[in-house]
Amino acid sequence: MTKFSFNQAVPFEATHVGEVIKDELAARNMKQSELSELTGIQKSILNDVIKGKRSLTPEMALLLENALDISATFLMNIQTQYELDCAKQSERVVLQTKMLEIWNVLKEQVSTQFFRKVGIIKGNLIEDVNRIFEVFGVDNLDDFFGLKAKEMELSYYYRKSEKVTTNPVDILSWKYYCYYLSKNDESLLGIFEKNRVYSLTKELNNVFKENSGTVKKTGKVLNRYGIRFMVVKKVGQVPVDGMSFWMGNHPTIVVTERISSIDNFAFTILHEVGHVYSHLTKDGKAMINMFDEKKDSEEYEADNFALNAVVPNADWKKFLARTRDVVPYKIAPYIKEEADKYEVNPQILFGRYKHDIGIYRIRNYFNSRIL
């Protein structure tokens, strides 16, 4: 991608060679008139050079070399550097003005708060604009608005829920930040194969059951199966749990830091695994998992995949039927027995139980924290 070129080493103020001559005269306690007599340079011309109003010529540099025993090359190098610095300062003003105009438009289109939180925006206007363009994979505002127009056609990302506020700017920013991270991810990945989904879910359930170094081990398992895995900061107040998408030759699964319990973490991972193996295609749309009343068929399918991956739905319904007369506050032993039967983490089944009976304030009998 074309990047803006700017040398951050440009001095705040360019130093004219006249400053060097002035310092030499002061050190030698010599007057300008004396130097004029020694060199034959007119006093008015010499005064203009010292004040920075006139450029030093090669002829004057040679005369000064003889009079002050200062290399003419050294003096001319200072003059040349001064002229370069002035040119760069002029370039900087033009570039800064241009970037400010772009920034004033861009800051209304992206989540500057989120980008500042994750270190994309660092306080240098020129570099910040450049990095934001890099996140979105564009070179200019026209390309950015073209990309945004395509995203708006995907109404899924801009749907409204009656329970939560979904900010399109936040979602767009978070989504492309995840793309950016995936592009730059250097994890060693295995070969992704569609027929390995059963063995993958079995390994993941083992990780969830053990619940020790869970996030790191989840990533290692997914990587071995050819799936990138990332945990990314949540964006604003939008309740995003996860997302899956194709990047290059591999799928990527992302979860947010807002997930704090092992049952929610496991469900989100398995939900996205369902998308990876059933719905994702190269160059196809990403799947964003948000809390929302409105779900399409693909989201329901991913939900069912996640639930079946722990305990088959038919078996779970039998369990609920067997325990329908058990008081919810005494369900823990039955949950533990069922979890042992399927070799899964009991908290995952406990979270599912609370969801299915619609009672969430039951005291946790099992460890819910992600360890």
Side-chain angles (χ1 to χ4, degrees), residues 33-44:
S33 57
E34 293 180 57
L35 184 59
S36 176
E37 291 176 3
L38 289 172
T39 60
I41 302 172
Q42 291 183 26
K43 185 177 179 180
S44 60

Side-chain angles (χ1 to χ4, degrees), residues 17-143:
V17 69
E19 291 291 330
V20 176
I21 299 172
K22 180 180 178 181
D23 290 342
E24 280 296 321
L25 291 177
R28 297 165 188 255
N29 196 25
M30 180 186 293
K31 296 180 180 180
Q32 289 186 26
S33 57
E34 293 180 57
L35 184 59
S36 176
E37 291 176 3
L38 289 172
T39 60
I41 302 172
Q42 291 183 26
K43 185 177 179 180
S44 60
I45 294 176
L46 184 61
N47 184 258
D48 283 348
V49 171
I50 291 174
K51 289 184 176 181
K53 295 180 179 180
R54 183 189 293 264
S55 297
L56 183 72
T57 67
E59 292 80 5
M60 285 190 282
L62 289 171
L63 292 171
L64 289 169
E65 180 181 59
N66 292 327
L68 300 176
D69 196 25
I70 299 175
S71 168
T73 300
F74 172 74
L75 294 173
M76 288 307 300
N77 283 342
I78 295 176
Q79 177 65 47
T80 301
Q81 188 61 51
Y82 170 79
E83 292 171 358
L84 287 172
D85 288 345
C86 287
K88 287 180 179 179
Q89 286 181 339
S90 176
E91 176 187 352
R92 179 178 184 173
V93 170
V94 172
L95 185 57
Q96 189 81 11
T97 301
K98 178 182 179 181
M99 290 299 100
L100 181 58
E101 292 174 355
I102 294 174
W103 173 256
N104 286 334
V105 175
L106 202 57
K107 69 181 182 180
E108 304 298 327
Q109 307 297 324
V110 303
S111 177
T112 55
Q113 183 178 4
F114 173 69
F115 283 141
R116 188 171 285 108
K117 183 178 180 182
V118 297
I120 294 298
I121 293 176
K122 299 181 179 180
N124 182 304
L125 183 66
I126 296 171
E127 293 300 319
D128 289 345
V129 169
N130 188 43
R131 277 190 291 267
I132 291 174
F133 279 165
E134 186 176 358
V135 166
F136 286 93
V138 297
D139 294 324
N140 51 58
L141 278 177
D142 288 341
D143 290 347

Side-chain angles (χ1 to χ4, degrees), residues 317-337:
K317 289 179 180 178
K318 292 177 182 178
F319 170 78
L320 292 179
R322 290 198 311 270
T323 59
R324 63 175 175 267
D325 295 328
V326 178
V327 177
Y329 300 98
K330 296 182 178 181
I331 196 65
Y334 299 90
I335 292 287
K336 182 65 168 60
E337 182 181 356

